[in-house]
Amino acid sequence: MGLLQEKYKQYREPQKFMDAGVYPYFREIVGKQGTEVEMGGHHVLMFGSNAYTGLTGDPRVEAAAKAAIDKYGTGCAGSRFLNGTLDLHVKLEKELAEFEHKDEALVFSTGFSVNSGVLANICGREDYIICDDRNHASIVDGRRLSFATCLKYKHNDMEDLEKQLQKCKPESIKMIVVDGVFSMEGDLANLPEIVKLKKKYNASIYVDEAHGLGVFGKEGRGVCDYFGVTDDVDIIMGTFSKSLASIGGFVAADFDTINFLRHTCRTYIFSASNTPAATAAAMEALHIIRREPERIEHLWQVTKFALRRFREEGFEIGDTESPIIPLYVRDVDKTFLVTKLAYDNGVFINPVIPPACAPQDTLVRFALMATHTEDQVERGVQALKKIFVEQGIIK
């Protein structure tokens, strides 16, 4: 056995939870993702998805994907830089730029590759990237790959953000990078105050709208639109894998920034381009969101109902303002146990443990779709209440 195998033979953390019968990952779903799914013969309410608009099984989205395969085939066999650009990609980019009120947009194969590639590329050795300490892992990897000096500020702490800005050289680019909606806790970035600090220190702003797109703002444009600060945000990033019922991502900005990224961003020019089916599915989902405002209105109706019911039943849900509802457990072992017991009782939720959160902040994540009903939410609340009470987490 070599040194590599010897090293990773010692990695047995997952096996501890497997042996305890509470391992919660890689459970196989049989069929389409919806509000209720089949998993290995087990029927569960799905509260662990990011499909906020509920479009993953929409027949119109499916038809668009199938038509794209008929016309373009299953793949592009190359990067966007060379032979992998379809007219479909260009059309979607134009629509996304218009949607986000920016000059241009670029479509990537995944949302992760947007953040990891753009942030690695946009700031140089004399520049700064300043991040909220709860930003997504893709942002963390992007700043790690950058030659810029990386600074962090405490979550949504504007005084600490200002302290970090004061450390920067005035003549350097200072890129403030933040999730619009924080994916585990469900709270929002304080964009109005961030914009004030941007103007005070001549900084720039990059907002990840992965969990805001299709949820907040006019026609689901995101948190930047919700706060009315789109013009003050320099770069907006989004993903197709949540509200747009597909896979892929995009970045939208001014003409010159996109021109630079189009010709230099490594995760864009050295990755195979997004498949025709995924591109067409995302485009059709975008069209549906814009045509059907009642979809987002219902998402908010069921979200407000869920927030009220969890608070009434005594759950600790933090500062969430979104369809992402954290149910704090504050114990790693109990977090896995609650997830297992919920599954056994017909409720699929996700455990959140370090490094996705601090050890004292472990939680289970309950997320809503526009296609959920209040009855389904109530069934989920009642099942989870019984478990949380039995485990001594709430009274």
Side-chain angles (χ1 to χ4, degrees):
M1 184 177 289
L3 294 176
L4 180 72
Q5 290 76 19
E6 282 289 345
K7 178 179 180 180
Y8 294 115
K9 185 179 180 181
Q10 309 306 315
Y11 177 66
R12 287 294 178 268
E13 192 66 20
Q15 280 66 34
K16 294 178 185 178
F17 296 103
M18 290 177 187
D19 292 343
V22 295
Y23 183 74
Y25 304 120
F26 305 106
R27 291 175 285 188
E28 298 177 16
I29 297 174
V30 181
K32 299 177 183 179
Q33 286 227 20
T35 57
E36 302 191 27
V37 299
E38 297 293 329
M39 306 182 72
H42 193 50
H43 188 83
V44 295
L45 289 162
M46 172 52 73
F47 291 111
S49 173
N50 294 318
Y52 305 117
T53 56
L55 288 171
T56 51
D58 190 283
R60 295 165 293 180
V61 176
E62 293 176 348
K66 291 172 184 175
I69 290 176
D70 289 341
K71 181 176 180 179
Y72 300 99
T74 56
C76 298
S79 76
R80 290 290 306 279
F81 201 60
L82 299 174
N83 66 301
T85 291
L86 303 175
D87 56 350
L88 200 62
H89 295 125
V90 176
K91 186 175 187 294
L92 179 56
E93 287 174 339
K94 289 179 179 177
E95 292 194 18
L96 288 167
E98 184 273 330
F99 184 66
E100 293 294 353
H101 293 166
K102 294 298 180 186
D103 293 346
E104 294 202 18
L106 289 182
V107 166
F108 288 63
S109 301
T110 67
F112 197 107
S113 64
V114 178
N115 283 338
S116 60
V118 172
L119 292 173
N121 198 53
I122 202 73
C123 296
R125 293 183 185 276
E126 300 301 319
D127 302 325
Y128 299 87
I129 294 176
I130 308 155
C131 291
D132 187 293
D133 66 7
R134 291 189 189 172
N135 279 346
H136 190 262
S138 57
I139 294 175
V140 173
D141 280 7
R143 68 172 175 79
R144 285 173 174 171
L145 289 168
S146 173
F147 289 115
T149 298
C150 298
L151 303 172
K152 290 192 293 184
Y153 63 94
K154 297 173 186 175
H155 178 55
N156 258 345
D157 187 328
M158 297 298 100
E159 288 186 12
D160 195 31
L161 172 56
E162 183 161 20
K163 287 179 183 177
Q164 303 311 314
L165 286 164
Q166 289 170 346
K167 296 177 182 178
C168 303
K169 297 176 183 177
E171 67 276 11
S172 296
I173 293 171
K174 299 166 284 293
M175 184 67 72
I176 304 168
V177 184
V178 66
D179 285 358
V181 181
F182 290 90
S183 59
M184 297 297 108
E185 297 84 1
D187 55 338
L188 309 186
N190 191 347
L191 287 181
E193 292 302 314
I194 292 173
V195 167
K196 290 179 183 178
L197 290 173
K198 165 195 168 162
K199 294 178 178 178
K200 183 176 180 179
Y201 291 94
N202 191 26
S204 301
I205 302 175
Y206 180 114
V207 176
D208 179 331
E209 286 279 21
H211 297 269
L213 183 69
V215 179
F216 288 89
K218 185 179 179 181
E219 297 183 332
R221 287 188 172 92
V223 176
C224 297
D225 183 86
Y226 172 74
F227 282 120
V229 297
T230 298
D231 290 344
D232 294 305
V233 172
D234 300 89
I235 300 175
I236 293 176
M237 171 271 176
T239 183
F240 304 156
S241 58
K242 299 169 176 62
S243 288
L244 296 186
S246 184
I247 184 71
F250 73 93
V251 61
D254 63 279
F255 171 84
D256 293 321
T257 299
I258 295 298
N259 179 55
F260 173 74
L261 291 171
R262 181 179 285 116
H263 296 93
T264 61
C265 183
R266 294 168 70 87
T267 58
Y268 179 76
I269 64 176
F270 291 105
S271 289
S273 59
N274 212 14
T275 66
T279 306
M283 188 183 303
E284 181 60 24
L286 180 63
H287 295 167
I288 293 170
I289 291 169
R290 302 189 74 174
R291 288 196 308 264
E292 299 179 359
E294 64 273 14
R295 185 173 292 271
I296 298 175
E297 290 168 7
H298 181 74
L299 172 62
W300 278 106
Q301 177 185 326
V302 75
T303 294
K304 289 173 182 177
F305 175 79
L307 291 169
R308 175 173 63 81
R309 290 296 295 119
F310 278 119
R311 289 189 174 109
E312 287 173 349
E313 296 296 350
F315 287 84
E316 182 188 356
I317 64 173
D319 298 321
T320 180
E321 301 177 62
S322 72
I324 300 166
I325 304 177
L327 307 176
Y328 283 93
V329 179
R330 302 195 182 282
D331 178 279
V332 172
D333 290 338
K334 277 191 177 182
T335 298
F336 280 124
L337 180 58
V338 164
T339 305
K340 170 66 163 53
L341 292 172
Y343 179 76
D344 291 345
N345 285 274
V347 179
F348 185 106
I349 49 177
N350 294 313
V352 180
I353 63 166
C357 66
Q360 69 274 15
D361 293 333
T362 65
L363 57 96
V364 291
R365 181 181 184 273
F366 186 100
L368 293 156
M369 307 179 215
T371 43
H372 276 122
T373 65
E374 290 185 2
D375 176 70
Q376 288 174 321
V377 171
E378 184 63 29
R379 286 156 57 195
V381 170
Q382 291 302 323
L384 291 169
K385 178 187 176 183
K386 183 175 184 294
I387 293 165
F388 272 59
V389 170
E390 289 175 349
Q391 296 303 315
I393 303 167
I394 62 173
K395 296 180 180 178

